[in-house]
Amino acid sequence: MGKLIYTDRKNKARVIVCEVVLALLTAVAVMSVITDLFNIKFNISNIASGEIAGGFACFVNSIADTLLINDGIVLKHLSGASENCELFLVLSTVVIAALVYGIIQSGKKWLIFVIPMLALLPMLCTSARQNVFGVLFLLVMTLVSFAYLKSKSSNLVPGIVQVTAIALILLVALGFPVISVFFEKADFASAVKGFTTRNVSNLYYGTAPLGNGELTGDKRNVQNDIALEVSMSNPQATYLRGYVGESYTSDRWSALPYATYKESRNLMFWLDNEDFNGLGQLGQADSLVNDTNTIDIQIEVKDANKKYAYLPYEYSGENESLLNWYDSYITNGNFGRMKSYEFKAYENATGSWTDTAGKLFTSSADEKISEYLKDESWFNEFVYENYTYLSTKEISLMQEYIGDRGDQREGHIEYSTAIKKVRDYLNQNFIYTQDPGLSQDAVMEDFFKNKKGYDTHFATAATFMFRYYGIPARYVEGYLVTPEDVKNAGEDGQMSISQQNVHAWVEIYIDGIGFVPIEVSPEYYDVMPQANLDTGFENSIVRSDFVPENSGGGASTNQVLQNNTSQEESSILQVIKIIVLILLIVLLLAILALLLRKLINSYRRFNFFKKGEPKKAVAAMFEYLETHGLSFDDRAVELGNKAAYSRQSISPEERDFMLFQVKSAKKADRKERLRWKRLK
C-alpha cells in the first residue's frame, strides 16, 4: 500500500528558494577563493564581451602563471586565450551552484564539505597569497548549509545562530593576545602549515642540509656523504650558488612575492633579449674587461638537494631547457629534479671583482660596455627596489645592536667600508659554533642576544646589516669547490664535493658588476680566495647615474608600508590556513572513522547472518528487518517468531532463506527510495 503525501506548495516554494540561494552563495564563495588564490580579475562589465572557450584558456593560463611564480610548477599555456574570463567564471559558478544544490537535495550532510575542501586544497598546497575574508566567507557558507541540512529544511534560525556564534567566538578568540601570539609562533606555524610541504619536498628533491632558508634548526648537522660530482675542463675554486633567499619573514628566507615578479616580467624578458645575464653578471662583466676564457662544467647531484641548480657566479648563459627565476636561481620546472646538467662558465672572477669593477667604469667608452651598462642600469633599479628592504622589526634590531647607519642621502656607504664593518662586528662579537642552542621562536633576535651561531645565522645577520647600510644583499646556500678540492681533482677534472662543503653566505650587489659572494663566517675566512678590498676600489668609481634615487635608505616609504601590510596579511592568513588545515584534517579523520566503523559493523553483522548459529542468526535478521522498516513476507515472520519464541531448532537452510529475505528487502528499499526522490 502506498503512502499519502501532503505537500504545502507555498512552503515547498520557500524551501526551494532557500536552497537555491544557499547553493549560489556557496558557489560564489568557492569562486571567490579560487579567483583570489590565482590572481584572476573579475569585472562584471566584461561578461557580454567574453567567450567560454577563450575564457577557459585565460582561466587556466592565470593558474599556470601563479603556480609558476610561486612554486616552480610549470604548466603549459593554452592557446586561444581571451583577455578576460568573466563569462567562463559565471558559468562555472552556476555549475558549482548546481552541484551544491544537488548535495543539499541528497540530504547527505557530510557531502556539503566536499566542494569547499576541494576549493581550499590548492590554498594549502601553494604559496600563493589568499584573501582571508574569502576563506571565512566560504567556511561560514559551508557551515550554514550544514546547519540547514541538520535542521531538515524546517527552520534555519537555530543553525544560523549557531554558525554566527561560532564565527564571533573564533574572531574574538583570535583577538586575545595569548591566543594570537600562540598561533603566530614560528615553531607552531612551521609545525602545522609547513610540515607537509617540507617533508614532501625533502622526500622528492632530497634533504637540504641547511634547510633552504629555514633557520629554526637547533644545530648544524651535516653528514660526510658525497653531495656533488663536479667535472671542470679547467678545475678552479668557485662558489656554487643554489638556494637564494630574497625575503625574510618568520625565521626563514623565501622568494619575492608574486606581485613583485609579475610587475617585473616585461623587464626581465627585455633584458634576456638584450643578452643581459643577471644570473652570471659577474662573469659577463669580467669578460668585457679581461681576456677571459670559458670552461665546461658538468655537475651530477648525488646526496644534495635536487630542486635548484648549483651554478657559479661566472655562469655564462642559460640552458633553454631549464627555468631561470628572474636571475636569482634556476630550477628544472615541470616538477623535474636537477639530477645532472652541464653548462659553460667564465674563469673564476669572485676573487678579483674589485679589479673588474675598477676596469669596467674606466673602459666605459667601449661600445659593448656602454650597451651592457645601459642594460645594467635597468636591472640595478630592480635590485635596489627589492633587495634593500628591511621590516620595521629588523630595522629595530639593527638600531639596537649596530647603531646609527650614517647619512645615506647621497647614496649608501662605500663598499669596502661596509664589508669591513660587517666582518669586524661579526668576528669580534660572535662565536662560531655548530651547536648554538638558539631559540626556535625568534632565531635572529636570540643570535644577536647570545652572540653565537653558525654560517646560516652569520649570513642572515650580514644580509640585514648590508641592507641596513643601503647595499642590496641576498642570503645564499650552496657548495664550495675549494682550492683543496681543485688540488685533488682527477685527470679528467672530476671532483667529489662532500656535504661538508655545504655553506651559507651573503651576496651583495656591486653597481655595474652584479652580485658577488662575501665571506662573513670567521671559520671560512681562509677557505676561499677573497677579493682585495685595499686595491683602491671605492664607491665613487661607480657612476651615480646608474644608482637609483632610493638606494640610500633601502626601500621607499610606500614599499615599506606595502611590505608591512602584506606581512600582516600573511600573518593573519597563516593563522587561517592553520585553522582550515586542522578543520579539514579533523573532518577527514572523522569521516574516515565513521565510514570504517560502518563498514566493520556491516561486515560483522552480515558475517554473523551468514555463518552464525542458525537460531540466533535468524532472530537477529528478523530484528534487523523490523528496526529498519524493511518489507518481509509471512514466511519471514514465521521464522522470526520461531527463532525468538520457540524451542524448535532452526536449520542452516532456514537461515539461508532468511538471509535471502534481508538482501531482497534491502534491494527493494533502495529502489523505493529512488522512486520517491524522483517523484519529489
Side-chain angles (χ1 to χ4, degrees):
M1 179 182 292
K3 296 181 180 179
L4 294 176
I5 299 176
Y6 171 72
T7 303
D8 185 341
R9 294 186 177 181
K10 195 171 183 180
N11 184 58
K12 185 175 182 181
R14 288 173 182 168
V15 170
I16 292 175
V17 170
C18 183
E19 292 176 349
V20 169
V21 170
L22 275 178
L24 282 173
L25 288 175
T26 304
V28 169
V30 169
M31 291 307 298
S32 175
V33 167
I34 294 173
T35 53
D36 283 338
L37 182 65
F38 296 112
N39 201 37
I40 301 170
K41 304 301 180 184
F42 182 86
N43 187 345
I44 192 69
S45 62
N46 291 330
I47 294 178
S49 61
E51 56 179 16
I52 299 176
F56 172 73
C58 175
F59 178 78
V60 171
N61 292 347
S62 297
I63 293 176
D65 288 341
T66 305
L67 293 177
L68 176 67
I69 297 302
N70 287 279
D71 300 284
I73 300 173
V74 181
L75 301 176
K76 291 184 178 180
H77 274 209
L78 298 181
S79 58
S82 304
E83 293 184 0
N84 59 73
C85 54
E86 278 78 2
L87 181 59
F88 171 76
L89 293 177
V90 170
L91 292 177
S92 299
T93 303
V94 172
V95 171
I96 295 173
L99 291 174
V100 176
Y101 182 76
I103 291 173
I104 294 174
Q105 285 289 300
S106 72
K108 303 287 187 181
K109 293 188 288 293
W110 63 272
L111 276 177
I112 203 67
F113 292 99
V114 172
I115 290 180
M117 286 174 66
L118 294 176
L120 293 172
L121 186 61
M123 185 189 77
L124 302 174
C125 301
T126 179
S127 303
R129 294 177 60 229
Q130 173 66 61
N131 188 306
V132 175
F133 299 102
V135 176
L136 287 175
F137 179 37
L138 177 57
L139 291 177
V140 169
M141 288 311 306
T142 304
L143 291 174
V144 168
S145 300
F146 180 78
Y148 174 83
L149 287 172
K150 193 174 181 181
S151 65
K152 298 181 180 179
S153 306
S154 59
N155 191 357
L156 263 182
V157 175
I160 293 176
V161 170
Q162 292 174 17
V163 172
T164 305
I166 292 172
L168 287 174
I169 292 171
L170 178 62
L171 293 175
V172 172
L174 291 176
F176 283 112
V178 174
I179 296 178
S180 61
V181 169
F182 173 72
F183 275 109
E184 289 173 1
K185 284 179 178 293
D187 53 350
F188 179 80
S190 298
V192 178
K193 177 179 176 293
F195 177 81
T196 302
T197 53
R198 282 200 309 273
N199 282 276
V200 170
S201 178
N202 289 340
L203 184 65
Y204 185 70
Y205 292 109
T207 303
L210 298 183
N212 278 349
E214 180 70 55
L215 301 184
T216 55
D218 56 352
K219 62 178 63 177
R220 193 181 195 274
N221 188 13
V222 177
Q223 305 301 318
N224 199 30
D225 300 324
I226 301 300
L228 307 171
E229 291 286 355
V230 180
S231 298
M232 297 186 185
S233 57
N234 180 22
Q236 54 189 280
T238 187
Y239 286 84
L240 293 177
R241 173 172 52 186
Y243 175 82
V244 178
E246 302 170 298
S247 177
Y248 184 83
T249 52
S250 302
D251 294 328
R252 73 154 294 124
W253 288 96
S254 60
L256 289 174
Y258 169 68
T260 303
Y261 282 142
K262 185 178 180 181
E263 292 168 2
S264 306
R265 293 178 73 179
N266 291 335
L267 170 64
M268 295 301 173
F269 180 77
W270 175 76
L271 289 174
D272 183 59
N273 287 339
E274 290 286 310
D275 293 327
F276 178 82
N277 180 17
L279 196 62
Q281 189 179 347
L282 176 59
Q284 185 177 15
D286 186 61
S287 69
L288 292 172
V289 297
N290 294 313
D291 185 15
T292 305
N293 297 319
T294 59
I295 61 174
D296 296 318
I297 301 179
Q298 292 181 328
I299 293 181
E300 184 178 352
V301 183
K302 295 295 188 180
D303 198 44
N305 182 267
K306 299 178 180 66
K307 186 173 184 178
Y308 305 98
Y310 299 100
L311 303 173
Y313 286 84
E314 300 81 11
Y315 176 62
S316 67
E318 172 182 346
N319 185 331
E320 292 186 0
S321 64
L322 302 178
L323 192 61
N324 184 345
W325 291 85
Y326 297 91
D327 291 328
S328 294
Y329 51 87
I330 278 183
T331 64
N332 204 345
N334 290 313
F335 299 101
R337 291 176 288 183
M338 302 297 302
K339 295 181 179 179
S340 180
Y341 46 97
E342 56 185 54
F343 53 89
K344 290 183 179 295
Y346 296 105
E347 293 178 336
N348 187 277
T350 55
S352 58
W353 61 261
T354 51
D355 295 330
T356 301
K359 292 179 181 179
L360 185 70
F361 287 100
T362 56
S363 307
S364 58
D366 183 276
E367 184 178 349
K368 287 185 178 180
I369 294 178
S370 297
E371 276 299 309
Y372 163 81
L373 290 176
K374 182 182 73 173
D375 296 337
E376 190 276 339
S377 67
W378 291 97
F379 187 65
N380 186 294
E381 186 171 352
F382 168 81
V383 168
Y384 273 87
E385 285 178 354
N386 294 286
Y387 302 130
T388 55
Y389 171 73
L390 289 174
S391 69
T392 53
K393 183 179 180 180
E394 288 141 20
I395 291 175
S396 298
L397 192 66
M398 293 295 98
Q399 290 173 339
E400 179 181 355
Y401 290 100
I402 307 302
D404 185 28
R405 56 181 165 186
D407 186 1
Q408 297 181 23
R409 288 176 294 181
E410 300 297 325
H412 59 70
I413 65 176
E414 189 263 321
Y415 290 116
S416 60
T417 301
I419 295 171
K420 289 176 181 178
K421 277 178 173 286
V422 172
R423 283 178 172 171
D424 289 345
Y425 177 76
L426 293 175
N427 190 33
Q428 294 170 11
N429 296 283
F430 291 80
I431 298 173
Y432 187 95
T433 173
Q434 296 191 16
D435 188 8
L438 297 177
S439 167
Q440 300 299 291
D441 189 10
V443 176
M444 291 311 298
E445 289 87 337
D446 202 30
F447 173 73
F448 277 97
K449 180 180 179 180
N450 294 324
K451 298 189 175 359
K452 57 182 180 179
Y454 47 88
D455 51 349
T456 60
H457 309 114
F458 278 79
T460 298
T463 305
F464 291 170
M465 292 177 70
F466 280 119
R467 290 186 176 189
Y468 187 63
Y469 291 140
I471 298 173
R474 300 190 301 204
Y475 170 90
V476 181
E477 290 178 17
Y479 287 88
L480 304 178
V481 179
T482 66
E484 187 68 22
D485 294 318
V486 173
K487 181 180 177 182
N488 296 326
E491 294 182 1
D492 56 355
Q494 184 168 341
M495 296 166 282
S496 296
I497 306 302
S498 167
Q499 283 285 22
Q500 296 292 328
N501 287 38
V502 69
H503 184 40
W505 62 88
V506 60
E507 61 180 20
I508 65 173
Y509 192 83
I510 306 298
D511 297 323
I513 66 171
F515 283 101
V516 299
I518 303 296
E519 195 53 71
V520 293
S521 299
E523 291 285 304
Y524 290 84
Y525 279 170
D526 300 323
V527 174
M528 300 292 290
Q530 299 295 310
N532 186 359
L533 300 178
D534 300 320
T535 58
F537 173 77
E538 297 177 353
N539 189 44
S540 58
I541 291 177
V542 181
R543 288 161 47 182
S544 60
D545 56 323
F546 291 104
V547 183
E549 293 179 1
N550 68 338
S551 64
S556 64
T557 303
N558 288 337
Q559 184 187 2
V560 172
L561 291 175
Q562 290 172 1
N563 279 278
N564 285 338
T565 302
S566 66
Q567 285 186 13
E568 291 174 2
E569 291 177 357
S570 177
S571 177
I572 297 172
L573 174 61
Q574 192 177 55
V575 174
I576 297 297
K577 283 190 174 184
I578 292 170
I579 295 172
V580 172
L581 181 60
I582 292 173
L583 289 175
L584 290 177
I585 292 174
V586 171
L587 178 63
L588 182 61
L589 291 175
I591 292 173
L592 289 175
L594 288 173
L595 290 175
L596 183 62
R597 183 179 177 182
K598 189 173 181 180
L599 286 173
I600 291 174
N601 289 339
S602 179
Y603 172 77
R604 287 176 177 175
R605 180 171 56 249
F606 279 93
N607 189 57
F608 176 70
F609 289 171
K610 184 177 181 180
K611 299 180 181 179
E613 195 275 319
K615 191 169 186 177
K616 292 181 179 179
V618 169
M621 282 187 274
F622 185 65
E623 181 183 4
Y624 180 82
L625 290 170
E626 285 188 314
T627 55
H628 286 77
L630 301 176
S631 60
F632 44 88
D633 59 19
D634 294 339
R635 174 60 177 160
V637 175
E638 180 185 341
L639 284 175
N641 290 328
K642 179 180 177 181
Y645 306 112
S646 172
R647 293 178 178 274
Q648 299 179 28
S649 62
I650 299 291
S651 68
E653 289 76 16
E654 290 174 320
R655 180 189 61 190
D656 293 342
F657 173 80
M658 198 66 169
L659 180 61
F660 175 77
Q661 286 283 311
V662 171
K663 292 179 178 179
S664 300
K666 288 187 68 177
K667 187 176 180 180
D669 182 68
R670 282 195 295 267
K671 288 183 178 180
E672 185 69 12
R673 286 173 183 269
L674 291 173
R675 189 174 72 85
W676 279 113
K677 281 186 179 181
R678 284 194 289 267
L679 287 175
K680 288 181 180 180

